[in-house]
Amino acid sequence: MTKTSGTGRRAEIAGAGIGGLTTAAALAQRGWSVTVHERAPNLRTFGAGIYIWSNGLRVLKAIGAYDQAAVGAHIGPQFHTRDHDNTTMEEIPINGHGDARLITILREQLINSLVDTCRRSGVEILTSSEAVGATAEGELLLVNGNRRKADLVVGADGINSKVRDSLDLMMYRKHLGYGAIRMLISRDDADVPSEDRDRYIEYFTGTRRILYTPASATDLYVALCCAADDVAALKVPADRALWTESFPHLAHLVSRFGDAGRWDAFEVVKLKKWSKGRAAILGDAAHAMPPYLGQGGGCALMNGIGLAAAVADAADIEQALAAWEARERPITEHTQDTAERLGDMNFWPDGLRSQVMKITGKSRELGAERMKTARYAPTATEPLA
């Protein structure tokens, strides 16, 4: 994508994750000078897969990152939810069945596509450059003492955001008592029956889940989910005997778990405001959510391009940020709240969960609520071809 006419304005962004890079590319394409600060010494990301629904795909298309991001992506036919007896409770048709599209790729591939898009758009990316705060007047404060002045400062520095906390924007941060060990392994035809190989499947047993996600022709993303007090289940490396006992029908898959993986707790973050003065917050720093809808990255993509569109030619940055939040926050909070409610079933007895989900899975109204974000048309995007 080529730049629009230059504005002479400057943005300083903390965090080279999905939200920060999307914002950077979209601003640069609107004529801004942009620098992204990443505290890590490189731009590699933790090895895992990521779900990108239609809403996120439209953003990638709009900033020119879609073609690279989608290379080799897995495009499954359905999303299944299975109970403790391996019986399907819900089946969500996708990709050619209705208007919801979904691809799964490696998270590293998404980040690389955003980095390359940023560089093509003229964004400066500085590694080993840690932000420790910001001011409402438009300064990004770095750990080395430098104060970077800008027309806009963006904190996209993750759930433990120092930029956010320096601006006193937190409303609450809630631990949900649940989390997951995430890992990537090679795909194997014997992991699941042939009819299931290309599906996305979430298996339940008690308070434990296994998420089966093909992320390419050769890569399988697996998430082992459990309660935060399930000490035996959250150990890394994963206890293969324990997970086989809970999911005997997945014994072959469990036997192939390696020693890699990382435990991440699920949390919800909500802010009093998404901005203060000329400083804005987005991504997990502003709206962290559990992953049950696969929309954490999607919301970061949407809010990044929405932010750029809001401030692009704005005479008053502070007013533009208020308008951005008013437009984008409702769909983001719908996504957060829906995902959090879906997590309640983690702690239901198996029989009750199976009965309820078989009924709710047939409800058009509940299905529409769950798919609302996937079908949403983000700001400054066009329909997918």
Side-chain angles (χ1 to χ4, degrees):
M1 180 173 287
T2 58
K3 284 189 179 183
T4 58
S5 58
T7 65
R9 287 180 168 174
R10 168 153 205 85
E12 296 282 337
I13 298 175
I18 297 171
L21 292 171
T22 301
T23 307
L27 282 170
Q29 290 162 4
R30 287 162 174 79
W32 285 56
S33 297
V34 185
T35 299
V36 176
H37 300 264
E38 170 54 45
R39 66 176 175 266
N42 57 58
L43 298 174
R44 289 181 61 83
T45 188
F46 174 70
I50 188 167
Y51 287 70
I52 311 178
W53 290 90
S54 307
N55 55 306
L57 296 176
R58 289 172 60 149
V59 176
L60 294 175
K61 199 87 168 179
I63 64 173
Y66 175 89
D67 290 344
Q68 182 179 348
V71 171
H74 182 75
I75 303 173
Q78 303 104 14
F79 192 103
H80 278 214
T81 304
R82 305 275 179 84
D83 68 10
H84 56 294
D85 292 323
N86 197 25
T87 299
T88 297
M89 298 181 287
E90 286 186 312
E91 177 180 331
I92 301 173
I94 48 179
N95 295 322
H97 305 275
D99 57 351
R101 287 178 56 186
L102 169 65
I103 70 170
T104 46
I105 59 174
L106 303 185
R107 183 175 291 266
E108 185 171 6
Q109 181 171 333
L110 175 60
I111 293 296
N112 287 343
S113 71
L114 292 171
V115 167
D116 290 347
T117 299
C118 282
R119 288 178 168 152
R120 287 194 303 270
S121 303
V123 174
E124 178 185 31
I125 301 176
L126 301 178
T127 55
S128 299
S129 182
E130 182 179 357
V132 294
T135 68
E137 292 71 37
E139 289 182 306
L140 186 66
L141 313 180
L142 302 182
V143 71
N144 62 9
N146 286 350
R147 304 173 73 95
R148 306 271 297 204
K149 294 183 180 180
D151 298 283
L152 172 69
V153 169
V154 179
D157 48 339
I159 197 164
N160 297 311
S161 171
K162 294 180 179 179
V163 174
R164 172 199 64 212
D165 292 344
S166 73
L167 296 166
D168 188 29
L169 290 173
M170 183 75 79
M171 180 189 296
Y172 66 80
R173 178 176 178 177
K174 179 164 59 174
H175 295 260
L176 299 178
Y178 207 75
I181 300 169
R182 295 179 167 102
M183 66 179 76
L184 276 176
I185 61 175
S186 61
R187 294 182 68 179
D188 188 304
D189 285 347
D191 284 338
V192 294
S194 58
E195 64 270 20
D196 286 340
R197 286 174 193 156
D198 288 335
R199 290 169 170 156
Y200 309 110
I201 309 175
E202 191 166 32
Y203 301 89
F204 281 84
T205 294
T207 58
R208 296 171 183 161
R209 299 185 185 196
I210 292 182
L211 179 65
Y212 169 92
T213 302
S216 74
T218 57
D219 296 291
L220 182 67
Y221 166 45
V222 178
L224 309 179
C225 309
C226 66
D229 61 359
D230 191 348
V231 177
L234 59 79
K235 286 182 179 178
V236 179
D239 185 330
R240 295 175 183 81
L242 178 146
W243 285 98
T244 300
E245 182 180 1
S246 291
F247 299 90
H249 47 287
L250 297 177
H252 181 81
L253 172 63
V254 174
S255 72
R256 299 195 310 108
F257 292 169
D259 292 338
R262 185 182 73 187
W263 164 263
D264 291 309
F266 297 166
E267 301 182 57
V268 169
V269 167
K270 290 197 179 182
L271 306 188
K272 293 177 281 190
K273 290 177 60 181
W274 282 5
S275 65
K276 179 179 285 188
R278 288 188 282 145
I281 310 295
L282 58 75
D284 282 348
H287 42 77
M289 65 187 73
Y292 306 125
L293 290 176
Q295 284 287 1
C299 286
L301 286 160
M302 291 196 301
N303 292 332
I305 196 171
L307 173 56
V311 302
D313 298 307
D316 187 312
I317 296 294
E318 189 168 354
Q319 288 183 5
L321 292 176
W324 162 67
E325 180 175 351
R327 183 175 62 235
E328 310 296 343
R329 187 161 180 161
I331 187 64
T332 298
E333 292 206 337
H334 164 84
T335 313
Q336 282 184 298
D337 296 343
T338 303
E340 187 174 352
R341 285 195 300 272
L342 286 171
D344 293 343
M345 71 182 73
N346 292 330
F347 302 99
W348 295 355
D350 281 329
L352 173 63
R353 179 170 52 226
S354 184
Q355 290 178 1
V356 171
M357 291 190 71
K358 286 176 183 177
I359 295 170
T360 59
K362 298 176 182 177
S363 168
R364 289 186 179 182
E365 292 79 9
L366 292 175
E369 284 297 291
R370 288 181 60 173
M371 298 301 288
K372 182 177 179 179
T373 311
R375 295 180 172 128
Y376 184 74
T379 302
T381 68
E382 297 177 358
L384 295 169

